[in-house]
Every structure is written in structure tokens, then in C-alpha cells.
Amino acid sequence: GDFFTDPLGGPYDLIIASSIMAYVQENKDIFLRRIYEALAPGGVVLCITEELEDDYSAPWDMVLGYLPQLLQGMPAGVLKGHVEQAAKAAGFCSIEKSEETLSCGKQTIYILRKER
């Protein structure tokens, strides 16, 4: 489906957005707002994504994976802080964040909460 036009349904208590932010990066504000609107009051979004340094210098494992796109001048990866900014703009009242090394590399895990 299309995250930007198809109905998302809801209200949901939990939405898991794993490894999707790189695909909606140009429209992450719209995407997170739509996710926010699909949540029930008090609902939670678990968002798992990579976060690259602004100069694409780290984390090395994520940068290496995006190297073909970067060398072609295409936008690649999610830059540090962009998910948090978009979540605040979408209206999330609580944003928790941790960094973990998962099987696919270094990932940032966000827990985004909608006000009750």
C-alpha cells in the first residue's frame, strides 16, 4: 500500500515501524502525523531505524550499506535527530530513545507515546 494515501485504520494501541523511515524520509513529517492520528489515546509507536551522522561518517556499517546510493547522489538513510524532530512536530507527547546493535547493525529505537 501507500502510507500517504491508503487508509491506515485504527485506533491502534501499538504500531511497530521497523526499518521504514529510510523509505519515507522525504515525507517523514506526514508519515509520523498519519501514524499519530491512527493511534488510540495513550497509544505507542515503536520505531526502529538507523541514524546516520549528518556528514555520513558513521555508523560505518549503515554507511557501508548505503554507499551505492550515496555515490550516485541519492538520499540515503535517516540522519540523526530527524525522527525525533518529526515526532515532536506530529504531536507525540513522550519520546524515548536508545541505541542498540542489532543483527542488521547499529539502530536507534524510539518509543513514541500519544497523550491519553
Side-chain angles (χ1 to χ4, degrees):
D2 187 324
F3 298 118
F4 304 108
T5 59
D6 291 346
L8 298 181
Y12 301 108
D13 295 321
L14 173 66
I15 295 174
I16 298 173
S18 180
S19 300
I20 191 118
M21 295 307 292
Y23 298 102
V24 298
Q25 64 179 325
E26 298 294 318
N27 297 298
K28 64 189 150 303
D29 295 341
I30 296 167
F31 175 72
L32 284 176
R33 184 65 190 174
R34 293 201 72 216
I35 293 292
Y36 178 87
E37 291 168 354
L39 283 175
V44 174
V45 173
L46 177 64
C47 180
I48 304 168
T49 189
E50 78 283 346
E51 285 193 309
L52 306 176
E53 294 295 331
D54 286 340
D55 64 357
Y56 294 97
S57 62
W60 72 269
D61 49 357
M62 294 289 112
V63 172
L64 187 59
Y66 283 116
L67 193 56
Q69 290 98 316
L70 293 170
L71 289 173
Q72 293 178 43
M74 298 183 331
V78 178
L79 298 181
K80 225 174 223 188
H82 287 198
V83 171
E84 189 168 355
Q85 290 170 349
K88 286 177 184 176
F92 287 97
C93 67
S94 172
I95 301 169
E96 299 173 44
K97 169 180 160 177
S98 68
E99 292 183 353
E100 304 292 335
T101 301
L102 304 177
S103 61
C104 56
K106 188 175 177 183
Q107 299 285 293
T108 302
I109 300 171
Y110 284 96
I111 299 172
L112 312 172
R113 298 180 193 277
K114 184 175 183 177
E115 203 166 358
R116 291 190 182 271

